[in-house]
Amino acid sequence: MRHGQAAAAYAVEPANGGLRIVAASEILLAMASGGLIGIVLGLIGGGGSILAVPLLVYVVGVGSIHAAIGTAAVAVTANALAGLLGYARAGMVKWPCAFVFAAAGVVGAAVGAEIGKAVDGTHLLMLFGLLMIGVGLSMLRKRRREADPDVRLSRTTAAVLVPRLVPMGTGVGLAAGFFGIGGGFLIVPALIAATAMPFTYAIGTSLVVVAALGATTAASYTLSGHVDWPLTALLVIGGVAGAEMGVFLGRRLASHKALFERAFAVLVIAIGVYVAIGTT
């Protein structure tokens, strides 16, 4: 099954439903998609992964939804790690909070990935579209809690922060594993809600979790043969460059991050509507 004109023109599908790269145009589409994912991850700390599956299905032309999810998970993990380097060098990662959130999320992601693989691809894509709509609407909501740049997880704060971080991490991980996404768009607001850390710190911290959850989902789909490795390599090449650009733009345009986030939310909603309607 192919999706869209780009897929019909360029995609050559092997039996496993992945994509065999055979033309320069396909390589450019895959690298451009990876670059866009990386830019969004580096700029706002989330959302690149939720674009990955629609890009692979409708732009690159991957015929299997499960192959698109598995491939996206590997690529998003690599792109998140590339973006994390910039935030780590700037000291904008709350490492203890990230590790606790990620540990809880990995458990949820492992369970979610197994459930997702058992769901029919068409139904999974429709649910993905509905998720995109919900996420976009949540991103448009204003955050009312005052930021605390000095927040840190320690022995004195653990009794307050851990009970918040663990259930939120597990829930986000479940969704991330089920839909094959990094979950940064869910992790950033969850970290802010749990700890009151500033938005910029939440972005850097979220990339640790995105990488952990993405790796868990990727491992599950790899074991089931749902990863197109040549395509993954192209997405990673484009994504690493995109992530560096996203981090750079994030620093230069920090005062406009709220505007970018709202604009991205509208884009996510629009794509979600398209995906959900297209599968009915």
Side-chain angles (χ1 to χ4, degrees):
M1 184 174 79
R2 290 176 175 148
H3 300 269
Q5 293 182 349
Y10 305 119
V12 179
E13 301 162 15
N16 65 0
L19 178 72
R20 180 165 55 87
I21 304 299
V22 295
S25 56
E26 294 173 358
I27 294 174
L28 291 175
L29 283 172
M31 292 182 67
S33 296
L36 179 59
I37 293 165
I39 288 173
V40 174
L41 275 170
L43 182 60
I44 62 175
S49 56
I50 203 169
L51 290 179
V53 172
L55 282 172
L56 289 176
V57 172
Y58 294 105
V59 177
V60 182
V62 175
S64 164
I65 304 304
H66 293 104
I69 290 175
T71 301
V74 179
V76 165
T77 300
N79 293 347
L81 289 172
L84 174 62
L85 293 176
Y87 283 95
R89 287 195 296 263
M92 300 177 68
V93 178
K94 300 284 187 180
W95 293 102
C97 292
F99 291 145
V100 171
F101 196 103
V106 163
V107 176
V111 175
E114 294 305 314
I115 298 174
K117 287 185 293 185
V119 176
D120 175 73
T122 301
H123 293 154
L124 191 60
L125 190 61
M126 181 184 69
L127 291 173
F128 195 91
L130 295 177
L131 174 70
M132 291 183 74
I133 296 171
V135 167
L137 292 173
S138 70
M139 291 177 72
L140 291 174
R141 295 178 59 186
K142 293 183 178 179
R143 300 182 179 91
R144 299 178 181 178
R145 193 174 180 184
E146 187 176 350
D148 179 10
D150 298 321
V151 66
R152 59 188 298 266
L153 180 59
S154 63
R155 290 182 179 180
T156 56
T157 62
V160 175
L161 295 181
V162 171
R164 297 175 182 173
L165 290 167
V166 170
M168 287 187 178
T170 304
V172 169
L174 189 65
F178 183 79
F179 291 107
I181 53 179
F185 55 89
L186 297 173
I187 298 165
V188 170
L191 285 170
I192 293 173
T195 68
M197 69 175 65
F199 182 65
T200 50
Y201 281 89
I203 292 174
T205 304
S206 75
L207 291 174
V208 179
V209 187
V210 169
L213 301 188
T216 303
T217 304
S220 176
Y221 276 80
T222 297
L223 291 173
S224 299
H226 292 310
V227 175
D228 186 320
W229 291 105
L231 175 57
T232 298
L234 294 174
L235 290 172
V236 170
I237 292 171
V240 168
E244 289 296 321
M245 184 180 297
V247 172
F248 173 77
L249 290 174
R251 293 174 182 169
R252 294 291 298 271
L253 304 172
S255 60
H256 300 289
K257 274 193 181 259
L259 177 61
F260 290 138
E261 189 177 1
R262 287 194 294 271
F264 181 73
V266 173
L267 175 63
V268 168
I269 293 171
I271 296 175
V273 170
Y274 177 82
V275 171
I277 293 177
T279 56
T280 56

